[in-house]
Each structure stands twice: as C-alpha cells, then as structure tokens.
C-alpha cells in the first residue's frame, strides 16, 4: 500500500505541470480575491479538491475489492496492478506531450462536469475560505486524464480506505505546483510550458511504471516491447 501511495504522490508531483493548466486559472483567482490571506484560500481549495479525489479513490478501491471477492484473488490483483502501470505509462506519455490517449478518457467525465455548472457558478467569486473549500470540492470532479490514470492504481489497492489514500497522496503531490502557480502566476506558467520540463517529468513516470512491472515474474522483456510499440 505504501508503494502505491508513494507512486501516486510522485505522479502528482511530476504531473503538476499538467495540473497547473487544468486548475491554475482558478488558483490565480484565489490570489486576486480581496478577503484574507491568499495562501489560506489556496490551501482550502486544495483541501476540497483532495477530499473529492479521496472519494473517487474510495469508490475505485471498492470496485477492486468486489472484483477480488469473486475468486482468483491473486489473478485479479495482478491484472489490476498491470493495468495501473499501463495507465501510468500513458500518463507519462501524456505529461511529456507524446500521447493523447488519456484525453479521450476526459470526455467520459464531461457529463458530470456539465451537471455541476450551476454549482460552479455559485462558488464564484472565490472570495472566502469557505467558498474556496467548496470550489475545490467541485473542481475535484473536473474531467482529468491524470486523475483517471490514478483510478486503476486505487482499484489495485483492493480496499476503499487504501484507494482513498492513493488518490489523497496523488492530490497532495499536485499541491506544490498549484500553490506556486497561484502565488507566482505567469512566471511559473512559462516554466511548466517548457517542453524539456514536461518531457523529463513524463520520462520519470514511464520509468517508474516499467520498474514496477519488471519486479513481476515473466515480464523481463517488457521494456523492449514497450519501446517497439512507441516507435
């Protein structure tokens, strides 16, 4: 479980270059709001966002638990683990700008996001800690390929509590980038658009997934197969 949470935290930390593009705009409005210190509104926003991620992780962990309860527990856990690492590779390609596979998954969540439109409007302007907390809870359901890539990892954890912890760890990993984006604005956005920064982050995520897969018996030839597939 600790390994799953650590992988999710690292994915959030490195994938923050993408998160800033998705949530950086509202993070900037938290700074511009007039009431109270900006850091408190940003912290409240992230707390709400992580709470929503944790809820999604608990649901995914419940699915993994139910799948394992049907018998052949080891086979199901192995399949979920391999699926999770495959999504991590897709995430690495996505962050690096080498693949758009996860973008298609974001369309799956657009129905829910459109249903939340009226709730989102009530949160603006985000000029208080309470509004920031509520806005974060709503923004946690924004269709996001990175979050969707973490859900198989939460499923592989095999329990609602562990699934919630995996997505919470991912959310915590995204916080530093969003905090800096909110406070530094345009200067940090220029850095996250740097293709070398994105590629380096993507390569690390892919390497993490391949290293995890190589620990499984019978998968020693996986890197060559992946490279052949990409090329």
């Amino acid at each position: 479980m600790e390994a799953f949470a650590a992988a999710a935290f690292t994915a959030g930390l490195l994938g923050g270059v993408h998160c800033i593009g998705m949530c950086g705009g509202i993070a900037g409005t938290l700074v511009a709001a007039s009431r109270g210190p900006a850091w408190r509104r940003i912290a409240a926003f992230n707390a709400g966002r992580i709470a929503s991620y944790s809820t999604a992780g608990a649901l995914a962990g419940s699915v993994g638990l139910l799948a394992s309860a049907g018998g052949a527990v080891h086979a199901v856990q192995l399949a979920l683990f391999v699926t999770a690492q495959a999504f991590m590779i897709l995430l690495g390609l996505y962050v690096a700008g080498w693949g758009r596979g996860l973008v298609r998954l974001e369309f799956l969540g657009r129905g829910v996001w459109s249903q939340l439109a009226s709730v989102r409007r009530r949160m603006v302007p985000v000029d208080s800690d309470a509004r920031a907390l509520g806005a974060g809870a709503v923004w946690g359901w924004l269709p996001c390929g990175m979050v969707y890539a973490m859900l198989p990892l939460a499923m592989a954890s095999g329990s609602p509590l562990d699934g919630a912890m995996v997505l919470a760890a991912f959310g915590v990993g995204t916080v530093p980038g969003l905090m800096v984006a909110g406070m530094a604005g345009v200067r940090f956005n220029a850095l996250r658009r740097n293709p070398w920064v994105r590629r380096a982050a993507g390569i690390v995520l892919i390497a993490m997934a391949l290293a995890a897969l190589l620990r499984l018996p019978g998968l020693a030839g996986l890197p060559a197969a992946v490279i052949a597939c990409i090329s």
Side-chain angles (χ1 to χ4, degrees), residues 144-160:
C144 175
M146 284 188 59
V147 175
Y148 297 159
M150 291 295 103
L151 291 178
L153 198 61
M155 289 176 63
S157 72
S159 84

Side-chain angles (χ1 to χ4, degrees), residues 150-175:
M150 291 295 103
L151 291 178
L153 198 61
M155 289 176 63
S157 72
S159 84
L161 179 59
D162 289 347
M165 290 178 63
V166 167
L167 264 293
F170 165 76
V172 171
T174 65
V175 168

